Amino acid sequence: MDTQQQQSAIKGAKVLMVGAGGIGCELLKTLALSGFEDIHIIDMDTIEVSNLNRQFLFRRSHVGQSKAKVARDAVLRFRPHINIRSYHANVKNPEFDVDFFKQFDVVLNGLDNLDARRHVNRLCLAADVPLVESGTTGFLGQVTVHVKGKTECYECQTKPAPKTYPVCTITSTPTKFVHCIVWAKDLLFAKLFGDKNQENDLNVRSHNAASSSKEKEDVFERAEDEDIEQYGRKIYDHVFGSNIENALANEETWKNRRRPRPIYSKEVLPESLTQQNGSAQNCSVTGGDSVISAMPSLGLKNPQELWGLTQNSLVFIEALKLFFAKRKKEIGHLTFDKDDQLAVEFVTAAANIRAESFGIPLHSLFEAKGIAGNIVHAVATTNAIIAGLIVIEAIKVLKKDANKYRMTYCLEHPSRKMLLMPVEPFEPNPSCYVCSKTPLVLEINTQKSKLRDLVDRIVTAKLGMNLPLIMHGASLLYEVGDDLDDIMVANYNANLEKYLAELPSPIVNGSSLTVEDLQQELSCKINVKHREEFDEEKEPEGMVLSGWTQPPATNGESASTSNNENAVDVTESSSGSEIATKKRRLSETQPENHKKETQNVESDDDDFMEIENPMLVSKKKKRVE
Amino acid sequence: MDGEELTEQETALYDRQIRVWGAGAQRRLSKSHVLVSGIKGTVAEFCKNIVLAGVGSVTLLDNRLVTTEALNANFLIRPNGNAHIGKTVAEICCDSLKEFNPMVHVSVAKGDLSTLDIDFFNKFDVVVVGYSSRATKKAVNEKCRKLTKRVAFYTVDCRSSCGEIFVDLQDYKYAKKKLDETVECELTYTSFEEAVSVPWKLIPRRTAKLYFAMRVIELFEETEGRKPGDCSLSDLPGVLKLKKQLCEGNSVNENHIPDSLLERLVSDNTEFPPACAIIGGILGQEVIKAISGKGEPLKNFFYFDAEDGKGVIEDISKP
Ligand SMILES: [Zn+2]
């Protein structure tokens, strides 16, 4: 393997790594050991305790520091003479533009989210730099090679959209624990501790809402001198008691459903709880930091233990008390964070009380935290294996060994004796809107949709653009950037509020739009088709974008949408959901001779090597549980 | 058996992996003791993986003094100029590994692997033999098998960009998830000696070529009195001659083992670091499976070749 040619290709290469996390640490180590001498690494994250079980370049003393920088320093200790440059920054920052990408011979991704992956894919295409992409979840992993014009780009196949739930499932008819978590996190927690001006559907299902909405609103306001425990009980009784009772009044809803049980605090909690907020015992020590937690004073230690209704109710009141007693300043600005112990305790307790009410099995804090935080299951070994495979592909790319490129799956259970299964990469999808110039088709009601709807729901959410620009013919309708003057900004803002058909250059049936992202150097055409009606259930966004792939599979279970207004977003485990999306048959892409060889080497009885997406397999399993 | 709970510190540190294999498996890991010998690149990767996973203890055995060659593919040794003089590879690696996870007890054992007595092995749940001669592998495997408790035995080798793992779990029971129920499964393993003595005629044609190639080189080194891995391109004629004899003796076609593969294996005895990461990763996963009793362990050989990128399991057991 150690040929002269290979060594000089490695030595002379300038490599960009995006991500210094689980895969990144392993990758940086393996690159350095393999003889790479010029490595640049970007990561915006800082080190956390839960990283230390696999991100082996980091120590407890590094918690809070830049991952990119600490990883660099750690690798230089065993390979002192190589050049590693670290950037503690977001890869989407404008400084990392096409020219920045052009200086590299290959880009290696060890990312954990779809958004950044798409962004890097576009920059690599624009800069014409090969990309090696990767992802892991538990024992499963995947490495793919994306070379412009030779293999498919990262976006040639649709990626599963983040999972979302219909709003009424969350607000009034939960059937699974995850629905209770979403309710507790995105509605209740946000209502109590987040931005008061945000729209919130917490009360949406009370039927006399119109008449008493003022009064309802007041429930969540705490008077300056109101006793915190009394306030907590009032919230408790409102959300778990009277709200449920109101909902029960609507008989229609419960015809074919199990009726929930209203729960009031006096049924589960003693008249008065002992006062204990403000005492030192509310602090537990994790990783050397003092953490505000409701658990110690309640005698709860094990996060994997299942709490009953009373314990959950106590945690609910105690956590709420602690927020007001110890973290008052943050109230009004908090968003849920999986690493915020008190927030996790509150959300776990609230979700469990709601689950009890709806007859859904309760979960431990450990499990609830995983669901609420979309925590990726991760082990060191898979990351190490995937990093090794990335370097092998990177070397092939540097040697321009195009016919040896492989996409490799790391499997948990052997398939045809293989734990590591290489397949030939796919060709570019000729109708990919990212790497080909195929126009998209947008069906929309041009008289009832505003330009803002188009920007939010299509350009940003669907096309993943960062700094978009929208043109209709020669007329510039909208643009984002730092270099715009006030008049232009005012103009664009005015346009956002206009209906499409009423814009200075009206967008109507048959109009053709050009949408560009200057940073990503991505430009695509959208042909507009006017349509009057949309199915509220199936097309809640009021518009349908199609053209670059097969229509999304209709999945009976989740009649989901990705509309922010009509559904609550749950971003699925980052890397997990992005691991290959479909079943593919090897034979489809194998050249004739290769196919024969496969048959000879393997058995003769079947021509196909069927590759099941590891993620699909694991999802199926989850559903069964 | 899982009486004790994990500490708060353990739960925080191991959070992401507990979500993969559960708290029970994590407790079993933390009570297990692993012996590792021959710390070159692939074994260094393996050690890192099990220390991060949180086994109870790791005992290192490698009496070689640190040389430039020992640095290859081994990130546990820092090129520290004179600081390594007089220190063994095991001692240096021990210091590095301790830093990875303060909750794991890492130590160094002295002695020659092939002559250590049987009681020594009784202290361990897992024994991993890296880069050893055929005779040593057999001897250690036999000692492990004689003990009343089950000691999981592994060998690992990496030459150029190819690797081999051998597994002997004797009689092994494990839990397997089938849809929503858990079924108990049982596997019976053969010893290293039995596995490498299976007549080639009985081994299916589609078996990884590396299995045969490794047996040829192993035997070549033994008959020539070489240290494991001590081959060069000048040995190729001798190796090819031995291959011919072995193929004839086993009544299989000579094409069974490509000359080009043997050439790669003898001409480059340095490890290819990406292959180390991959083979060390698979070995780590297997040891974690065996200790935790969760998941189907591989039986009984694993091969990786960076040339075709396949990672293949082969079952070569006594008929
Ligand atoms: Zn594409």
Side-chain angles (χ1 to χ4, degrees):
Chain A
M1 200 74 190
D2 208 348
T3 63
Q4 283 293 323
Q5 185 220 359
Q6 180 160 311
Q7 272 311 308
S8 64
I10 290 173
K11 265 191 191 342
K14 189 169 182 176
V15 177
L16 176 64
M17 276 180 59
V18 191
I23 294 174
C25 280
E26 293 287 341
L27 181 56
L28 187 59
K29 172 258 303 164
T30 305
L31 284 172
L33 291 174
S34 304
F36 284 83
E37 293 184 350
D38 194 0
I39 308 165
H40 293 229
I41 178 162
I42 304 175
D43 197 310
M44 67 190 287
D45 284 341
T46 52
I47 296 158
E48 291 167 22
V49 171
S50 63
N51 300 150
L52 302 177
N53 79 319
R54 61 197 188 284
Q55 300 176 18
F56 77 103
L57 299 174
F58 309 147
R59 305 282 166 267
R60 201 162 278 267
S61 59
H62 295 136
V63 169
Q65 297 182 38
S66 154
K67 286 188 176 180
K69 188 181 173 302
V70 175
R72 170 190 179 271
D73 295 347
V75 168
L76 287 179
R77 286 172 76 193
F78 62 83
R79 285 294 180 272
H81 303 300
I82 66 172
N83 173 47
I84 304 176
R85 184 154 175 206
S86 64
Y87 306 82
H88 182 200
N90 187 338
V91 69
K92 290 176 83 176
N93 288 355
E95 63 201 274
F96 305 120
D97 57 8
V98 173
D99 282 335
F100 174 85
F101 273 74
K102 273 186 180 154
Q103 62 182 307
F104 299 102
D105 298 297
V106 63
V107 175
L108 312 176
N109 269 359
L111 281 163
D112 64 358
N113 68 87
L114 176 72
D115 210 37
R117 282 189 169 107
R118 299 213 293 186
H119 186 80
V120 173
N121 179 49
R122 291 161 189 199
L123 282 161
C124 285
L125 285 166
D128 201 5
V129 178
L131 168 67
V132 183
E133 176 61 78
S134 66
T136 65
T137 308
F139 293 116
L140 308 172
Q142 186 186 356
V143 174
T144 52
V145 189
H146 306 287
V147 182
K148 191 176 178 177
K150 292 207 166 66
T151 67
E152 65 177 358
C153 86
Y154 176 69
E155 294 173 89
C156 275
Q157 307 289 333
T158 33
K159 303 289 175 279
K163 194 160 188 182
T164 58
Y165 303 96
V167 98
C168 58
T169 304
I170 301 303
T171 57
S172 44
T173 54
T175 53
K176 292 178 182 165
F177 188 68
V178 64
H179 301 150
C180 302
I181 285 282
V182 172
W183 175 86
K185 179 178 82 151
D186 293 352
L187 300 182
L188 185 61
F189 183 86
K191 183 85 191 170
L192 289 170
F193 308 117
D195 185 353
K196 296 275 182 282
N197 298 321
Q198 286 267 310
E199 255 181 72
N200 195 308
D201 289 317
L202 193 57
N203 282 321
V204 84
R205 294 298 138 170
S206 58
H207 274 267
N208 41 359
S211 58
S212 60
S213 71
K214 237 270 119 31
E215 178 199 326
K216 285 269 148 49
E217 209 46 51
D218 290 342
V219 172
F220 294 95
E221 286 301 319
R222 176 177 166 246
E224 241 347 278
D225 54 350
E226 189 175 4
D227 177 72
I228 313 176
E229 189 180 316
Q230 285 313 309
Y231 171 70
R233 282 176 179 260
K234 187 175 73 182
I235 301 292
Y236 188 110
D237 291 341
H238 176 71
V239 298
F240 302 119
S242 52
N243 264 8
I244 301 288
E245 215 140 342
N246 284 339
L248 281 169
N250 187 14
E251 289 296 335
E252 202 56 28
T253 314
W254 311 108
K255 256 187 181 162
N256 300 309
R257 287 190 176 91
R258 178 187 174 144
R259 296 167 67 90
R261 170 170 76 96
I263 303 174
Y264 290 94
S265 64
K266 62 175 190 293
E267 300 165 14
V268 274
L269 297 174
E271 268 312 304
S272 171
L273 302 169
T274 37
Q275 290 295 314
Q276 51 213 159
N277 58 64
S279 68
Q281 54 179 327
N282 286 323
C283 297
S284 81
V285 176
T286 312
D289 307 312
S290 182
V291 173
I292 299 175
S293 163
M295 286 166 63
S297 66
L298 298 169
L300 301 170
K301 283 201 190 98
N302 185 355
Q304 308 214 28
E305 193 177 81
L306 206 57
W307 304 332
L309 177 60
T310 308
Q311 281 166 318
N312 278 298
S313 302
L314 287 167
V315 172
F316 180 91
I317 299 287
E318 184 65 18
L320 189 133
K321 275 158 77 176
L322 283 170
F323 268 116
F324 280 93
K326 299 255 173 138
R327 297 175 59 180
K328 193 140 205 289
K329 280 195 194 123
E330 296 168 67
I331 293 174
H333 322 283
L334 279 164
T335 49
F336 177 80
D337 174 359
K338 66 176 180 350
D339 297 310
D340 180 340
Q341 174 69 21
L342 196 57
V344 171
E345 290 171 359
F346 179 83
V347 164
T348 302
N352 273 330
I353 301 165
R354 187 167 172 84
E356 175 79 25
S357 173
F358 281 86
I360 296 165
L362 309 195
H363 285 66
S364 71
L365 179 112
F366 182 83
E367 294 166 316
K369 178 180 171 178
I371 300 167
N374 298 307
I375 292 176
V376 183
H377 301 192
V379 287
T381 47
T382 316
N383 289 335
I385 293 164
I386 289 301
L389 293 167
I390 294 172
V391 177
I392 289 173
E393 292 310 317
I395 293 171
K396 291 179 197 168
V397 165
L398 294 172
K399 289 163 78 182
K400 303 204 164 36
D401 246 346
N403 49 10
K404 287 195 176 166
Y405 297 163
R406 291 292 180 275
M407 146 159 62
T408 307
Y409 297 92
C410 177
L411 307 171
E412 183 173 2
H413 306 290
S415 172
R416 301 192 124 224
K417 300 198 302 188
M418 278 185 269
L419 280 176
L420 301 173
M421 179 186 277
V423 298
E424 290 199 10
F426 293 89
E427 287 183 359
N429 177 353
S431 59
C432 170
Y433 78 97
V434 178
C435 68
S436 83
K437 296 290 163 200
T438 312
L440 298 160
V441 175
L442 177 67
E443 292 176 68
I444 191 166
N445 187 326
T446 54
Q447 275 136 24
K448 287 186 180 161
S449 302
K450 293 177 177 171
L451 184 64
R452 178 184 294 287
D453 303 327
L454 178 73
V455 170
D456 289 349
R457 295 175 201 173
I458 301 296
V459 178
T460 311
K462 288 254 157 65
L463 303 182
M465 289 193 177
N466 203 23
L467 299 173
L469 174 153
I470 302 173
M471 291 202 354
H472 181 214
S475 148
L476 189 54
L477 296 173
Y478 181 69
E479 180 178 12
V480 177
D482 323 322
D483 51 347
L484 308 176
D485 64 43
D486 293 349
I487 302 167
M488 291 159 86
V489 172
N491 237 331
Y492 295 144
N493 283 340
N495 281 350
L496 281 178
E497 302 312 322
K498 289 184 180 138
Y499 293 108
L500 297 180
E502 289 162 14
L503 284 161
S505 166
I507 299 175
V508 293
N509 189 38
S511 291
S512 179
L513 304 177
T514 303
V515 184
E516 290 183 6
D517 187 301
L518 296 181
Q519 189 193 359
Q520 299 172 346
E521 291 198 6
L522 172 65
S523 168
C524 45
K525 285 237 174 311
I526 300 181
N527 294 330
V528 176
K529 253 172 136 174
H530 174 80
R531 192 171 126 195
E532 282 291 325
E533 298 290 334
F534 289 88
D535 184 327
E536 264 179 56
E537 275 287 309
K538 288 180 191 144
E539 303 154 334
E541 292 164 301
M543 53 188 82
V544 177
L545 182 74
S546 54
W548 80 97
T549 44
Q550 67 277 39
T554 32
N555 184 339
E557 195 198 20
S558 59
S560 63
T561 76
S562 55
N563 185 331
N564 295 331
E565 276 175 37
N566 293 310
V568 183
D569 255 338
V570 180
T571 319
E572 276 240 301
S573 107
S574 42
S575 50
S577 59
E578 283 138 46
I579 292 182
T581 48
K582 44 181 66 74
K583 258 185 180 180
R584 291 165 165 180
R585 279 175 185 267
L586 185 62
S587 59
E588 282 173 8
T589 50
Q590 296 277 346
E592 273 315 301
N593 56 353
H594 195 107
K595 223 192 286 182
K596 282 199 193 101
E597 191 192 314
T598 313
Q599 286 179 17
N600 288 341
V601 175
E602 308 295 342
S603 65
D604 294 331
D605 47 25
D606 52 307
D607 310 355
F608 302 120
M609 184 177 289
E610 206 165 52
I611 295 137
E612 270 218 76
N613 163 25
M615 289 323 298
L616 287 181
V617 176
S618 77
K619 270 191 190 138
K620 267 181 219 145
K621 275 188 192 147
K622 262 186 204 151
R623 221 163 267 159
V624 173
E625 282 172 11
Chain B
M1 66 173 289
D2 307 322
E4 298 153 49
E5 284 179 6
L6 295 171
T7 65
E8 202 177 325
Q9 207 184 13
E10 286 172 315
T11 309
L13 175 65
Y14 300 132
D15 183 286
R16 297 303 187 266
Q17 66 198 40
I18 293 173
R19 291 176 195 283
V20 177
W21 54 59
Q26 190 63 50
R27 278 194 296 271
R28 287 190 284 277
L29 277 171
S30 70
K31 288 177 193 157
S32 65
H33 305 285
V34 184
L35 173 71
V36 183
S37 93
I39 310 154
K40 295 190 196 175
T42 304
V43 173
E45 288 278 351
F46 164 74
C47 290
K48 170 206 69 191
N49 293 335
I50 56 163
V51 167
L52 289 173
V55 295
S57 77
V58 177
T59 305
L60 305 173
L61 195 60
D62 193 327
N63 305 318
R64 289 177 301 147
L65 294 176
V66 175
T67 58
T68 337
E69 192 244 312
L71 286 170
N72 176 63
N74 188 341
F75 57 92
L76 298 176
I77 307 175
R78 292 173 205 133
N80 260 4
N82 297 329
H84 297 329
I85 290 178
K87 287 205 167 184
T88 65
V89 168
E91 285 164 341
I92 299 294
C93 293
C94 177
D95 294 341
S96 298
L97 284 169
K98 278 179 180 165
E99 291 178 21
F100 290 168
N101 187 348
M103 285 191 254
V104 177
H105 185 256
V106 189
S107 63
V108 172
K110 297 276 179 194
D112 179 6
L113 183 64
S114 56
T115 57
L116 285 164
D117 65 27
I118 190 161
D119 291 338
F120 175 81
F121 296 98
N122 201 27
K123 291 180 283 193
F124 302 101
D125 304 293
V126 175
V127 171
V128 174
V129 174
Y131 321 92
S132 273
S133 68
R134 195 162 80 147
T136 304
K137 288 175 183 174
K138 283 181 186 173
V140 175
N141 190 196
E142 284 319 307
K143 281 175 194 162
C144 291
R145 283 191 153 245
K146 281 198 185 111
L147 293 166
T148 41
K149 75 167 190 181
R150 187 171 52 81
V151 177
F153 175 83
Y154 299 82
T155 76
V156 60
D157 286 273
C158 179
R159 291 170 194 249
S160 181
S161 56
C162 301
E164 176 185 75
I165 295 171
F166 167 77
V167 185
D168 176 14
L169 302 180
Q170 302 172 36
D171 289 313
Y172 182 78
K173 289 194 181 76
Y174 65 99
K176 189 176 178 178
K177 266 210 170 146
K178 252 191 179 168
L179 299 176
D180 48 353
E181 57 178 335
T182 311
V183 273
E184 179 124 308
C185 301
E186 197 171 351
L187 289 171
T188 305
Y189 286 76
T190 39
S191 69
F192 183 76
E193 168 135 45
E194 288 167 328
V196 299
S197 319
V198 174
W200 291 2
K201 259 190 306 191
L202 302 180
I203 300 173
R205 249 191 78 85
R206 291 182 285 124
T207 302
K209 308 280 182 233
L210 265 170
Y211 170 80
F212 304 102
M214 291 298 284
R215 304 288 80 79
V216 174
I217 291 177
E218 213 169 59
L219 192 62
F220 177 81
E221 286 174 349
E222 187 173 280
T223 49
E224 296 282 308
R226 304 284 180 86
K227 276 195 257 169
D230 188 11
C231 277
S232 68
L233 195 53
S234 60
D235 293 317
L236 189 59
V239 169
L240 293 179
K241 200 174 136 208
L242 181 63
K243 171 190 107 165
K244 197 164 180 247
Q245 285 171 10
L246 284 170
C247 286
E248 279 166 5
N250 275 288
S251 327
V252 297
N253 194 308
E254 256 195 83
N255 306 336
H256 220 64
I257 315 170
D259 290 356
S260 56
L261 179 60
L262 288 168
E263 186 178 336
R264 274 171 64 209
L265 295 175
V266 294
S267 60
D268 182 10
N269 54 19
T270 59
E271 293 171 275
F272 181 50
C276 297
I278 292 163
I279 299 156
I282 297 280
L283 182 60
Q285 240 156 47
E286 287 305 316
V287 167
I288 290 165
K289 273 190 218 166
I291 296 171
S292 64
K294 279 212 155 180
E296 185 172 4
L298 72 80
K299 180 170 181 286
N300 54 349
F301 284 92
F302 174 82
Y303 292 95
F304 177 74
D305 184 351
E307 201 66 24
D308 63 14
K310 285 183 189 168
V312 188
I313 296 171
E314 297 293 359
D315 186 354
I316 299 165
S317 303
K318 74 176 169 203

